[in-house]
Amino acid sequence: MDPESLRLTALAPPSPPPEADLAGLYREHRTGLVRLAVLLVGDLETAEDVVQDVFARLQHRRPPDLTLAYLRTCVLNGSRSVLRRRAVMLRRTQRVTDLADSAETAVLIGESRRQVLLALARLPRRQREALVLRYYLDLADSEIALVMGVGQSTVRSTTARALARLLRELGEDE
């Protein structure tokens, strides 16, 4: 290197290590990502595991442009994997009991919210994802399409079908 480059390098502030960026993203978006995963997988412990796994994987292999949309996509994919594993497990074993919330959780969320969550859990995966991304995260069609990897028109039609089915599940016909 020439002396001028060395002097400019010495004057430039050191760039933070990439781990600091990841830690900042974790602190800033962890709660929202866990909430997204809870709505998809149905329980807090698994949702926290999904988010933790996403950040652990990103520690070793990270895309150059790490964005919140990318993190949401990773959490969505991690939730899908959890749900697939659950489905395989349920197919291989006898259905023992439905997953039940603890007494404390049931009291806290109330009966109507529990019914909505149960109805949401009965929706097909893609419909559930579309509703959660639209109404919980308040994402636009373009953002939902990016996260789900589908077209915007697919997002709109899936959301409309999901709402109609959710209303039928809840016994609130239009």
Side-chain angles (χ1 to χ4, degrees):
M1 273 193 181
D2 65 324
E4 181 64 21
S5 296
L6 286 174
R7 187 175 73 74
L8 290 176
T9 305
L11 294 177
S15 60
E19 293 80 23
D21 295 340
L22 192 60
L25 282 171
Y26 181 80
R27 281 190 301 275
E28 187 174 347
H29 299 293
R30 177 194 171 279
T31 303
L33 293 171
V34 168
R35 288 177 181 160
L36 169 63
V38 164
L39 290 170
L40 295 171
V41 298
D43 67 284
L44 180 62
E45 294 80 18
T46 306
E48 288 175 338
D49 288 344
V50 167
V51 172
Q52 191 67 31
D53 288 345
V54 165
F55 279 95
R57 286 190 184 110
L58 289 174
Q59 186 71 29
H60 301 293
R61 222 175 1 147
R62 188 168 342 151
D65 56 338
L66 186 59
T67 63
L68 181 56
Y70 183 81
L71 288 172
R72 286 178 178 151
T73 301
C74 291
V75 169
L76 186 66
N77 289 335
S79 298
R80 287 175 178 166
S81 295
V82 165
L83 293 172
R84 269 193 303 272
R85 285 191 299 269
R86 280 184 186 169
V88 168
M89 184 178 67
L90 286 174
R91 279 194 303 264
R92 290 183 178 171
T93 62
Q94 291 291 334
R95 191 172 204 162
V96 179
T97 60
D98 291 331
L99 298 174
D101 292 325
S102 67
E104 297 85 14
T105 305
V107 168
L108 290 175
I109 63 173
E111 184 61 28
S112 64
R113 183 172 175 198
R114 192 174 72 74
Q115 288 176 354
V116 170
L117 289 174
L118 289 172
L120 189 64
R122 288 190 297 266
L123 292 177
R125 175 187 55 84
R126 183 181 263 183
Q127 289 181 1
R128 180 176 53 248
E129 292 168 357
L131 287 181
V132 167
L133 293 170
R134 165 67 55 77
Y135 295 105
Y136 182 75
L137 291 181
D138 200 27
L139 297 181
D141 289 344
S142 58
E143 294 172 310
I144 296 170
L146 180 67
V147 170
M148 290 179 68
V150 297
Q152 290 184 36
S153 58
T154 303
V155 169
R156 288 189 293 274
S157 64
T158 303
T159 303
R161 286 187 196 113
L163 281 174
R165 184 164 178 179
L166 187 64
L167 288 173
R168 280 193 310 273
E169 291 279 336
L170 293 172
E172 299 177 18
D173 292 330
E174 295 177 53

